[in-house]
Amino acid sequence: VMVAKHPVMHPGDARMLLAIDVPELHGHKNVILFSKHGDRPEAAKMAGSDLDGDQFAVTWDRRLFLNQWNDCTHVGNGEYQSRSGKILSIFDLYMSNHSPLPPAPKGNPRQVDVVKNEHLIDHFINHAKSDTLSTICMEWLDWAAKMKTANCSQCIELAHLHTTAVDFPKTGIPAIIPKELRIGGYEPRAHWREKKGSKSFKCGSTVGKLYDDTLNRIKKGKKISKRAQTAIAGRRWNDRDQLVCFSGKNSTAKVKNELKKLYRPDISQKLGLIPSSKSLQTHYDPESLQCIKWAGQLRSQYEDLVISLMTRYIIYSEGE
């Protein structure tokens, strides 16, 4: 199987591992159990994971396997055949994995007898001044698009900085971005970045293709109005023509019918993920109904807050 820990900024964050069948562990669901053997845990090799609630992506799809294991064929007796015809064994698994990132620096926290408000204030101010996590991520995206690979030296160095930045609240060690890793504002970005005030270039990466495909699908759905077409899944617009990504109480019957054709809520109802309106009373006890009502109130509060922020900063979509 291939196991990855998002956001996979380093080639070592996606690894080929051997999945084994242990009948005694069949009771575990939606978890991944790593081996305790080896000089370094496999989880720690992927973005410095420490198993405190981290989430991993696991795939059996051989089309996504790494290097020579990509699209391989199982020939039995624990052996596989690569597309080139080479016979692979489980011992070849680790050879296909990229060297992982080294462990993040631990830092030297200041020792105090009693933690006072002044200490907390200093910590949070220092964090606000030195937090570069989001900048590192965006620089990584820009370099990967510019160099047409995430395996370039710039992305590798930014991946190191990303690990340091993630652990900054715990270690107190800031991730300082060197000047040479900052792409100037005058340089063009990938077209899917939609960076305001910057030139762009056509990027043929997977992200670029998904972006183009999304735009093409939107253009094909011109049967309904622009608002209904953009405000999908029951989303609505506020009085300043800004898209809010929730609610749909005020949608017209025509819009609702078009959205049903696109998103088929009955599928979710049949799977039991959401109740149908007719069977709401029979599916849930009074306590559950009260919980659903409470969740709806929270969503309305959140929506009001989003509208307020969008109006204040003239933002046209919640995603933006």
Side-chain angles (χ1 to χ4, degrees):
V1 296
M2 186 184 76
V3 183
K5 166 71 188 303
H6 296 299
V8 194
M9 297 184 69
H10 187 270
D13 292 344
R15 309 190 68 77
M16 293 295 300
L17 299 176
L18 176 66
I20 60 175
D21 183 18
V22 181
E24 293 81 2
L25 300 177
H26 284 184
H28 293 277
K29 305 293 183 182
N30 295 323
V31 297
I32 179 169
L33 303 173
F34 291 103
S35 171
K36 65 179 182 179
H37 302 289
D39 56 354
R40 185 181 177 191
E42 286 296 330
K45 297 177 183 178
M46 292 177 276
S49 300
D50 50 9
L51 301 182
D52 59 352
D54 294 1
Q55 294 183 331
F56 298 86
V58 184
T59 180
W60 289 260
D61 192 335
R62 295 170 191 162
R63 296 171 298 175
L64 300 176
F65 284 178
L66 303 177
N67 302 323
Q68 58 187 347
W69 290 86
N70 184 263
D71 211 13
C72 61
T73 305
H74 186 215
V75 294
N77 297 323
E79 293 183 334
Y80 292 81
Q81 186 175 19
S82 68
R83 285 187 294 180
S84 63
K86 179 182 178 181
I87 299 299
L88 305 170
S89 69
I90 59 174
F91 299 104
D92 297 309
L93 269 178
Y94 292 102
M95 299 299 294
S96 64
N97 290 328
H98 194 283
S99 299
L101 277 171
K106 293 185 178 181
N108 186 21
R110 175 183 167 193
Q111 301 295 326
V112 295
D113 295 329
V114 179
V115 178
K116 299 181 180 179
N117 288 340
E118 292 78 8
H119 299 135
L120 296 175
I121 292 172
D122 289 343
H123 172 77
F124 286 113
I125 290 178
N126 186 36
H127 179 268
K129 291 169 60 178
S130 306
D131 184 20
T132 55
L133 184 59
S134 59
T135 304
I136 290 171
C137 292
M138 299 314 297
E139 293 288 354
W140 187 93
L141 285 171
D142 288 337
W143 277 110
K146 180 179 179 179
M147 305 302 288
K148 298 182 179 180
T149 176
N151 206 18
C152 62
S153 60
Q154 293 88 348
C155 286
I156 297 296
E157 189 171 350
L158 286 167
H160 282 262
L161 291 173
H162 179 266
T163 300
T164 303
V166 168
D167 288 340
F168 171 65
K170 294 184 288 186
T171 64
I173 300 177
I176 301 174
I177 307 173
K179 185 178 180 181
E180 59 270 17
L181 288 182
R182 291 183 179 270
I183 297 181
Y186 58 87
E187 292 197 37
R189 263 58 172 192
H191 71 290
W192 47 264
R193 280 272 271 114
E194 293 187 342
K195 186 173 176 63
K196 294 180 180 179
S198 176
K199 295 181 179 179
S200 65
F201 63 88
K202 183 72 174 179
C203 178
S205 66
T206 302
V207 178
K209 292 176 181 177
L210 289 171
Y211 175 88
D212 293 337
D213 183 62
T214 301
L215 293 185
N216 289 333
R217 287 172 182 266
I218 291 175
K219 290 178 181 177
K220 288 180 181 177
K222 296 230 171 180
K223 303 182 209 176
I224 53 179
S225 68
K226 180 181 178 183
R227 283 193 170 194
Q229 179 189 95
T230 308
I232 55 178
R235 298 169 184 173
R236 67 179 175 85
W237 298 73
N238 64 10
D239 55 3
R240 296 191 61 175
D241 283 342
Q242 295 166 325
L243 174 64
V244 182
C245 297
F246 292 95
S247 188
K249 297 177 182 177
N250 300 324
S251 300
T252 63
K254 181 180 179 182
V255 170
K256 288 181 178 179
N257 289 333
E258 291 293 343
L259 294 173
K260 284 182 180 179
K261 293 178 184 177
L262 291 171
Y263 288 90
R264 297 291 303 280
D266 58 303
I267 295 178
S268 296
Q269 293 169 0
K270 289 177 181 178
L271 291 174
L273 300 177
I274 59 173
S276 62
S277 56
K278 295 180 180 179
S279 60
L280 185 62
Q281 299 293 336
T282 58
H283 274 69
Y284 292 99
D285 53 48
E287 185 177 350
S288 297
L289 287 171
Q290 185 64 28
C291 183
I292 293 172
K293 182 179 179 181
W294 172 74
Q297 292 172 347
L298 283 183
R299 188 181 75 171
S300 297
Q301 294 173 13
Y302 172 74
E303 183 177 291
D304 291 339
L305 177 60
V306 170
I307 291 176
S308 174
L309 291 171
M310 290 167 60
T311 302
R312 182 185 306 172
Y313 297 105
I314 316 179
I315 299 173
Y316 291 91
S317 70
E318 187 199 29
E320 184 183 357

